[in-house]
Amino acid sequence: QDDAPLVASRPQASDDKRRLWLGAVLTAGVALGLVAPLGWFVSQHLDLILLRPAQLSIVGSTASPADNSVSDAVWATAKMFGPFGAPGDSDPRRNVPGLPALSLWLALPFYGGLALALRWVAQPAYAIPLIGLVGLLLPGIFSEYAPHFHRILGAAAPTALLCGVGLDWLWRWRPHRTTLLRWAVIAMLLLGGVTESYNYFVRWARLPDLYYAFDVGLWQVGQFIATQPSSTPVYLTPRTADHTTLAFAWATNASSVPVTFDGRSIFPLTAQSAPADELYAVIEHEDFRTRLLLPGLFPSATVEREFTDSQGAVYARVYRRPAGTEAQRPPQQALTVTLGDGIGLLGYDVQPTVLKAGGILYLQLHWTVTAPPSADWTVFTHLLARDAGGNVTVVAGHDSRPGNGSLPTTRWQAGWRILDEYQITLPAELAPGDYELAIGVYQPS
């Protein structure tokens, strides 16, 4: 009789094991099916895994203020919970700069819950929040700019659980003082909620930095460009067309994507009389040069639209070049040179005309485009010295794609004239004498 229940239970145990194994296999299969597409994508784009290796604290060696040791990052992360003047994330995009992660009314129950969880860590209910907190803080600890609230956002969940542990313990502590303690718990929740609501909806919302932190100006400029008819050529400086905010702004109108360039080093324009009005959108908060260049090129250009930040300062302007107008400002030194592949040189401007050792030679090339170039050309600008025997030596120079890469030749259009500027640093030991300039294009391959 004693053996009967044991014998009878064996088939049931065996069934349970089979069900467990079946459940494990099914779970593994579902997990594999969900992960497989991501795994395949990662295997084809391994560069994404190594996208920011230099941001690891343990290998950071750029002498940047962002570089720090792991111990520094751990201490900065530990201090961020506050509340006694502990600095939080200083980036206004993620936080009121420097404000701790928790106010006094939430920090107190958090530290209490943390102490209780460490005391009863052998119990899974307390160990799991601790493990989650540490694990989800690691991305911020092993990267730059700790504490970085975006990278450790997942730690908000275990932080809230530990706050709950502290409040729960206080709610049930000392039965004969239950009413007073419960009022204390309610008071901390209310004060914490009011404090954090004020910090978020009032202090943070009023920060003028948010205009720039959240690309409000870029969004406004992008939306304006998206409303332009496809017949109106639009140029944008100095941001690129693939910038996320801009690309999203004109996603509904694919024909509105402008010609982008960095006006601080290059400027494209229609060489002859403009057949239609042209718009130049200049983010003057970043591009200081185009605003000064435009009046000399297009004296009749007008300001079509002005964008200001939350404090009234000009963020960007849109200039309109009227149809039928011709560009002014011919090159100081005129040339008529055909290089090939649709590229020619109209001339150049050079400052200063008398060089100084250790100084900078400012060179602006006036390119002309008769046909869209078929290759991605690199421009070389070399300062040459020639001795009595006719031997030539390169004493200084600068090689780069046009506009520091912001407007490669593969994007040049027929009928353009392009002002392309280079700064050549002269050697400190530059000897007196006459020097020559060599200008051309080549393909690195």
Side-chain angles (χ1 to χ4, degrees):
Q1 291 178 355
D2 292 339
D3 291 340
L6 181 61
V7 173
S9 67
R10 285 174 182 166
Q12 181 66 35
S14 180
D15 290 342
D16 289 343
K17 288 182 179 179
R18 281 195 293 269
R19 280 194 291 270
L20 284 173
W21 276 107
L22 180 60
V25 170
L26 290 175
T27 302
V30 171
L32 183 61
L34 293 173
V35 173
L38 179 61
W40 173 257
F41 176 83
V42 170
S43 69
Q44 304 300 308
H45 301 83
L46 293 177
D47 57 306
L48 296 180
I49 298 179
L50 305 175
L51 189 61
R52 295 179 176 179
Q55 289 185 333
L56 290 174
S57 298
I58 54 175
V59 297
S61 58
T62 64
S64 164
D67 283 350
N68 53 16
S69 65
V70 175
S71 59
D72 291 336
V74 170
W75 179 235
T77 303
K79 291 191 299 180
M80 76 174 185
F81 291 102
F84 309 107
D89 196 326
S90 59
D91 192 330
R93 187 181 179 89
R94 303 183 288 266
N95 188 42
V96 177
L99 196 70
L102 300 175
S103 67
L104 172 66
W105 314 108
L106 296 178
L108 291 177
F110 167 76
Y111 288 124
L114 183 63
L116 292 169
L118 289 171
R119 178 181 177 184
W120 296 318
V121 69
Q123 301 181 34
Y126 296 96
I128 290 174
L130 282 177
I131 295 172
L133 180 67
V134 173
L136 292 167
L137 288 176
L138 288 179
I141 291 173
F142 285 104
S143 59
E144 60 187 2
Y145 298 110
H148 191 297
F149 282 3
H150 277 183
R151 294 173 187 160
I152 58 174
L153 186 59
T159 299
L161 288 174
L162 291 173
C163 287
V165 169
L167 292 171
D168 176 69
W169 179 84
L170 193 61
W171 183 271
R172 295 184 288 108
W173 188 55
R174 296 289 181 90
H176 59 286
R177 297 181 182 175
T178 296
T179 302
L180 179 61
L181 294 176
R182 289 185 175 180
W183 275 113
V185 170
I186 294 172
M188 281 192 285
L189 287 172
L190 290 175
L191 289 171
V194 170
T195 302
E196 301 297 3
S197 297
Y198 174 78
N199 289 335
Y200 181 78
F201 292 105
V202 180
R203 292 182 62 186
W204 186 72
R206 287 177 178 173
L207 289 178
D209 298 341
L210 297 187
Y211 182 89
Y212 299 93
F214 287 101
D215 292 339
V216 177
L218 284 180
W219 174 254
Q220 293 173 340
V221 171
Q223 283 189 311
F224 173 82
I225 293 175
T227 62
Q228 301 308 306
S230 58
S231 59
T232 301
V234 181
Y235 301 82
L236 172 66
T237 170
R239 293 300 183 105
T240 59
D242 59 355
H243 186 280
T244 306
T245 301
L246 292 171
F248 188 68
W250 53 58
T252 56
N253 186 4
S255 63
S256 66
V257 178
V259 173
T260 59
F261 63 99
D262 189 339
R264 293 166 293 190
S265 57
I266 196 168
F267 192 90
L269 57 105
T270 302
Q272 303 302 322
S273 176
D277 285 7
E278 296 180 340
L279 298 180
Y280 282 87
V282 184
I283 302 173
E284 297 184 0
H285 172 69
E286 302 172 15
D287 181 356
F288 61 90
R289 182 172 172 271
T290 299
R291 175 178 58 87
L292 304 175
L293 181 66
L294 277 169
L297 285 170
F298 312 128
S300 59
T302 57
V303 176
E304 176 78 9
R305 179 76 180 272
E306 188 173 85
F307 301 89
T308 57
D309 64 17
S310 55
Q311 294 184 309
V314 173
Y315 175 77
R317 287 190 178 101
V318 178
Y319 297 86
R320 180 177 292 274
R321 175 192 179 183
T325 58
E326 293 192 7
Q328 307 299 308
R329 197 175 174 276
Q332 297 172 355
Q333 304 293 331
L335 297 171
T336 304
V337 179
T338 299
L339 282 79
D341 199 18
I343 301 174
L345 190 64
L346 291 176
Y348 63 93
D349 305 339
V350 63
Q351 293 180 345
T353 54
V354 178
L355 308 184
K356 293 183 178 180
I360 296 178
L361 173 65
Y362 296 93
L363 175 65
Q364 190 171 79
L365 307 179
H366 292 244
W367 300 111
T368 180
V369 187
T370 57
S374 60
D376 187 0
W377 296 95
T378 294
V379 177
F380 70 84
T381 54
H382 293 168
L383 189 67
L384 308 179
R386 190 183 302 272
D387 62 20
N391 299 315
V392 176
T393 304
V394 178
V395 296
H398 182 95
D399 291 27
S400 73
R401 299 162 78 202
N404 281 330
S406 67
L407 191 62
T409 56
T410 50
R411 291 174 47 210
W412 288 12
Q413 299 179 16
W416 271 4
R417 174 180 156 208
I418 298 171
L419 278 61
D420 189 18
E421 185 173 297
Y422 296 89
Q423 298 181 17
I424 303 175
T425 302
L426 304 176
E429 64 278 5
L430 187 70
D434 294 331
Y435 293 88
E436 303 173 14
L437 270 173
I439 300 165
V441 297
Y442 67 93
Q443 295 183 49
S445 59

